[in-house]
Amino acid sequence: MSKLGTLGARLYRGEVGYDFVGKRKIWYGISILITITAIVGLAVRGLNFGIEFSGGAVFTTPKTPVSVEQAKRTAEETAGHPAIVQKLGNGTLRIQVSDLSTEKSIPTQKALAKKLDVPQDKINTDLVGPSWGDQIANKAWTGLAVFMLLVVIYLAIAFEWRMALAALVALIHDLTITVGVYALVGFEVTPGTVIGLLTILGYSLYDTVVVFDGLKEASKDITKQTRWTYSEIANRSLNGTLVRSINTTVVALLPVAGLLFIGGGFLGAGMLNDISLALFVGLAAGAYSSIFIATPLVADFKERDPQMRALAKRVAAKRAATAKAEGGAEPEDERPDARDESGDTATAGIVHQASPRNRGGRGRPSGKRR
C-alpha cells in the first residue's frame, strides 16, 4: 500500500507518468473487443423493456409466503403472457406482465388473490398502455439526441471540433457498453435506466472536459517550440489529471455499488437495479474512455494536421542534433525513432515527466538542459 501511495504521489506531482497516448492502439483494440461483445449481446438477447415501454400490468401483493415460482406460474397461466416476478425486501411480490390488456388484468388479479389467499382489493394493480410506452421511448430518444448535439456544439465552441468529435466517440462508446451489459444480464430497461444513462454521460463528459481544458492550455503556441510533440503534451496533460480521475471515479462507484449489490441484491429493491446498474457500468466505462479513448483520439486527429506533422519533424531533428552534439546515445524517450506503429512521435513506456527543478517548461523531457 505504501508503494502504491508513493506512486500516486509521484504521478500527482508530475514526476512520472504512463505513456497512455503512445500505447493508444492497445486501448483501441480493447475497446473494440468490448464494444463488439456488447453489440453481439444486444443482437442475440435484446433488451428486456419494462412495461413503461411495452405496456402491460404490474401487480403488487401484500406480504406472502408464496414463492416467486408459484406466483409466476399462476400469473402466466391466467394472463397467457410471460411474467416477471420480484420478491421485494418487505416480503411482498412485484409481478409484471407485459402486453396485458385491461380485460385480462382483472382475472389475473383474481387468480393471484386466490393463490395468495388475500382479498382481491389488497393487490395493487397498475396498468400501462402501449401508446404511453411509445411516447416515453420517443421522448427518451429525443432527449439523448438533444444531449449529444449540445455536447458537440459546446465542445466545438469551447475547444475545437477534433475534441468535440473525440468526446462524441467516447460517449457513444460508454452508451454501447452500458446497453450491451443490460442485454447480457437481462435487467429491465425502465425510465430509471434512461435517467442513469444520461447521468453517466454527464459524468464521463466531466472527466473528458477536465483533461481537454488542461490540454488546451498546455498546447498554446505549441508550434513555437521544439521540445514536445502534440502527442507528448497530450500525454502529460492526461497524467496530470490521472490521480484526480481515479479518485473521483472510486468515490462515485462506492455508493453506486451499495445501491446495486446491497439495495438491489440483498434487500430485493428491484427498482434500484434499473438505475444502479446503468450508473455502475457507465461510471466505470466513462472513466476508462476519458483516459484511454478521448485524449488519444484527439492526439491522433491533431497529429494528422500539417502543422503538427511539421512540428514532429522539427522535434525529432532537434533531439537528434542535441544527442549528436552531446556525443552520447539518446534517451529512449527522446529518440527520433521512438514512434508507435502509426509513425507518430510518442514517448515509449514509462515517461519521466519534468522533475521539480525543471517543471514549468524548463529543460528537456529527460531533465537535461538544452
Side-chain angles (χ1 to χ4, degrees):
M1 290 298 293
S2 60
K3 291 183 178 179
L4 184 61
T6 302
L7 177 61
R10 296 183 67 194
L11 282 169
Y12 184 78
R13 293 193 298 265
E15 296 175 2
V16 296
Y18 191 76
D19 189 16
F20 294 102
V21 176
K23 298 180 181 299
R24 54 189 176 270
K25 290 193 174 181
I26 297 176
W27 321 133
Y28 293 166
I30 294 174
S31 294
I32 290 173
L33 181 62
I34 296 174
T35 303
I36 290 176
T37 303
I39 293 174
V40 170
L42 184 61
V44 173
R45 293 180 60 90
L47 291 173
N48 178 24
F49 287 102
I51 64 166
E52 293 87 353
F53 296 101
S54 61
V58 175
F59 303 96
T60 305
T61 72
K63 185 176 181 180
T64 175
V66 175
S67 68
V68 170
E69 288 299 324
Q70 290 174 326
K72 181 179 180 179
R73 191 181 309 114
T74 301
E76 289 181 343
E77 290 175 354
T78 308
H81 295 282
I84 299 174
V85 182
Q86 294 174 317
K87 195 173 188 66
L88 305 182
N90 55 2
T92 63
L93 295 178
R94 182 177 183 268
I95 305 168
Q96 176 180 308
V97 184
S98 299
D99 302 320
L100 186 66
S101 63
T102 305
E103 293 76 13
K104 284 191 175 182
S105 65
I106 297 176
T108 304
Q109 185 185 34
K110 289 181 179 179
L112 289 172
K114 182 178 180 180
K115 182 68 176 179
L116 301 177
D117 194 22
V118 296
Q120 184 177 341
D121 58 0
K122 295 294 183 180
I123 298 179
N124 183 48
T125 304
D126 294 319
L127 297 175
V128 179
S131 60
W132 190 82
D134 291 338
Q135 292 178 11
I136 292 294
N138 292 333
K139 289 180 179 180
W141 283 112
T142 302
L144 183 61
V146 170
F147 175 85
M148 292 290 195
L149 180 62
L150 292 177
V151 164
V152 171
I153 293 175
Y154 168 75
L155 291 180
I157 294 174
F159 299 101
E160 60 170 301
W161 68 266
R162 295 177 183 87
M163 291 184 176
L165 181 58
L168 181 62
V169 172
L171 290 177
I172 294 174
H173 167 272
D174 300 342
L175 265 179
T176 304
I177 291 178
T178 306
V179 173
V181 170
Y182 258 85
L184 290 172
V185 301
F187 275 26
E188 272 190 319
V189 177
T190 67
T193 305
V194 178
I195 295 172
L197 289 175
L198 293 176
T199 302
I200 60 102
L201 290 181
Y203 182 89
S204 174
L205 189 64
Y206 167 79
D207 265 358
T208 302
V209 168
V210 168
V211 178
F212 284 178
D213 186 62
L215 178 56
K216 178 183 177 182
E217 185 67 24
S219 60
K220 281 184 178 179
D221 301 324
I222 185 176
T223 57
K224 297 181 180 179
Q225 54 82 47
T226 55
R227 290 194 299 270
W228 307 91
T229 66
Y230 189 90
S231 291
E232 291 167 348
I233 289 179
N235 196 68
R236 287 169 62 85
S237 298
L238 183 56
N239 277 277
T241 60
L242 180 62
V243 173
R244 180 169 63 175
S245 296
I246 293 175
N247 288 340
T248 53
T249 299
V250 171
V251 169
L253 281 176
L254 288 177
V256 174
L259 283 175
L260 179 61
F261 299 110
I262 298 178
F266 294 106
L267 301 180
M271 295 299 293
L272 291 178
N273 291 336
D274 305 338
I275 189 170
S276 59
L277 180 64
L279 288 174
F280 188 83
V281 177
L283 288 175
Y288 174 86
S289 66
S290 297
I291 297 172
F292 296 98
I293 302 298
T295 305
L297 272 178
V298 172
D300 260 337
F301 295 154
K302 289 290 287 187
E303 290 289 0
R304 288 174 170 79
D305 186 273
Q307 288 186 329
M308 296 302 109
R309 287 182 178 274
L311 173 63
K313 290 180 180 179
R314 294 198 302 271
V315 171
K318 180 66 177 291
R319 291 175 181 175
T322 302
K324 185 177 181 181
E326 292 175 352
E330 298 173 76
E332 183 179 352
D333 63 341
E334 293 187 14
R335 289 185 290 114
D337 59 344
R339 302 169 183 267
D340 62 28
E341 294 85 344
S342 64
D344 297 327
T345 304
T347 53
I350 295 293
V351 181
H352 293 271
Q353 306 288 6
S355 62
R357 61 185 175 87
N358 62 18
R359 197 178 298 164
R362 298 189 300 274
R364 301 174 61 227
S366 62
K368 297 180 180 178
R369 300 186 182 275
R370 296 197 303 174

